[in-house]
Amino acid sequence: MNETITCSLNTIDIEINALKTLKLQINNSFSEACNEIIKCNGRLIITGMGKSGLVGRKIAATMASTGTPAFFVHPGEAGHGDLGMIVKGDVVLAISNSGNSDEINVLLPVIKKLDLPLISITKNLLGRLAQEADVALTLGDFEEACPMGLAPTSSTTATMVLGDALAIALLEARGFKSDDFALSHPAGSLGKKLLTDVSDIMKSGDEVPVVTGDTSIIDALFEITEKRLGMTVVVDGENNYGVLTDGDIRRLLTINQDMSQPIASVMKTTPITTTPNTKASEALNIMRQQKVNQLIVLDSDTLVGVLALRDLVQAGIS
């Protein structure tokens, strides 16, 4: 086997073993850490130096997007004024593989003076940080994937996974739902998928092609052409709807159908429908499953609009 491939597989195996070791460290301290964060009235302040700091930034971002107000404070900058960003009511999560980071240890007396709960993430309980923490989380004893044992590799992977475990445990405990998630992700395709309802992009009012059941097929074709949605809704009695598409009309023409006949005789009597409050992404899934390009939108059996596939595409829903 190629030497580089062998090396890469060995690296992955070492880091997998580190995660297996991490799994054995999950105990009551993990629950205590979650409880401290949940009951805090302020923010979760995450700090760490070097690679631990980079991982800490990611953990803070994950926390903030999943219902736990959090931000990262660089310990070096904290010692030169940024410590003022931390106030009573906050909880501090400090990350240091050795537990003896000088930049973090300098902050410990101030954290204690502010009476802030301190949660630590370290490799073991031997360092000063773990000894002074209110809740000490450990990664366990494992080797780094770096053959010299110098570059943080397995340890940063384990720290990030532990951070994800905390974030998801907190998410579940808070009952955080997709609608809550959407509020912190309003931009881009994810935001559109989570925030856009059918009512936001459907055609309504005079834009909706509508004919009655006694309308002739040819007149229905004019309505389809004028409204340019590729179909028309057929109202055939109270709250009784049908649909006829331009594709249906083309098929009728191939069999020499009498175009003066009423549309009720040829319309689809069981149209696929949705509601105004349905997520646009869910409506798109319905279209794909049912293999249709339009959905009739009903609100308590009352016609309120039509949603077309092209409207979803233009809105960036995919």
Side-chain angles (χ1 to χ4, degrees):
M1 186 182 292
N2 185 293
E3 184 176 346
T4 56
I5 293 177
T6 301
C7 179
S8 66
L9 293 176
N10 186 52
T11 298
I12 293 170
D13 284 338
I14 291 172
E15 299 210 8
I16 288 174
N17 287 332
L19 295 183
K20 289 179 179 179
T21 300
L22 171 65
K23 190 174 180 180
L24 299 175
Q25 313 307 308
I26 304 301
N27 51 32
N28 288 338
S29 293
F30 184 89
S31 298
E32 291 172 12
C34 290
N35 290 335
E36 286 288 356
I37 297 169
I38 288 174
K39 71 183 184 183
C40 96
N41 297 317
R43 297 80 41 87
L44 175 63
I45 311 302
I46 300 177
T47 189
M49 196 66 192
K51 301 300 187 297
S52 293
L54 295 175
V55 174
R57 290 179 188 276
K58 188 273 178 188
I59 294 173
T62 301
M63 291 286 188
S65 69
T66 53
T68 298
F71 66 88
F72 178 82
V73 173
H74 191 285
E77 298 296 333
H80 294 276
D82 281 4
L83 201 57
M85 300 167 68
I86 307 174
V87 298
K88 283 186 176 295
D90 292 341
V91 172
V92 177
L93 172 62
I95 305 170
S96 171
N97 189 45
S98 68
N100 291 308
S101 170
D102 291 336
E103 292 83 359
I104 293 179
N105 287 341
V106 167
L107 307 180
L108 295 181
V110 181
I111 293 172
K112 291 297 182 182
K113 189 169 185 177
L114 289 173
D115 196 27
L116 304 182
L118 174 63
I119 302 168
S120 67
I121 295 180
T122 61
K123 190 168 186 179
N124 53 51
L125 299 176
L126 300 179
R128 179 184 172 190
L129 176 59
Q131 292 292 315
E132 296 203 20
D134 298 288
V135 182
L137 302 178
T138 57
L139 303 175
D141 187 18
F142 47 75
E143 63 178 312
E144 297 285 6
C146 168
M148 297 175 290
L150 299 175
T153 45
S154 304
S155 57
T156 49
T157 298
T159 304
M160 188 170 296
V161 170
L162 182 56
D164 285 343
L166 281 169
I168 300 307
L170 293 167
L171 176 153
E172 292 284 356
R174 297 181 193 278
F176 193 79
K177 304 298 181 184
S178 59
D179 287 345
D180 302 310
F181 191 81
L183 294 177
S184 58
H185 295 77
S189 59
L190 180 58
K192 291 176 181 177
K193 179 178 180 180
L194 293 172
L195 292 173
T196 305
D197 291 339
V198 167
S199 60
D200 296 323
I201 55 178
M202 70 182 188
K203 295 292 188 293
S204 59
D206 292 339
E207 296 177 302
V208 178
V210 179
V211 297
T212 59
D214 57 3
T215 303
S216 68
I217 299 172
I218 189 65
D219 287 339
L221 177 58
F222 288 135
E223 178 73 358
I224 292 172
T225 302
E226 180 182 351
K227 300 298 174 64
R228 302 173 65 183
L229 286 181
M231 54 79 70
T232 184
V233 179
V234 185
V235 181
D236 190 30
E238 186 176 357
N239 294 334
N240 186 23
Y241 303 105
V243 65
L244 191 75
T245 67
D246 52 8
D248 295 329
I249 291 177
R250 285 193 295 271
R251 285 186 287 274
L252 292 173
L253 289 171
T254 63
I255 61 173
N256 297 317
Q257 176 72 41
D258 181 1
M259 303 299 283
S260 65
Q261 283 191 345
I263 194 173
S265 63
V266 294
M267 70 180 186
K268 292 186 178 74
T269 57
T270 55
I272 310 301
T273 66
T274 187
T275 67
N277 297 326
T278 299
K279 289 284 183 271
S281 57
E282 294 177 19
L284 178 59
N285 288 334
I286 294 172
M287 288 184 180
R288 287 170 173 164
Q289 291 168 6
Q290 300 295 330
K291 298 180 180 179
V292 296
N293 294 325
Q294 305 90 3
L295 296 176
I296 294 178
V297 185
L298 301 180
D299 188 5
S300 299
D301 293 330
T302 299
L303 177 67
V304 293
V306 169
L307 180 67
L309 178 60
R310 71 185 185 194
D311 296 326
L312 291 165
V313 173
Q314 291 172 356
I317 306 299
S318 59

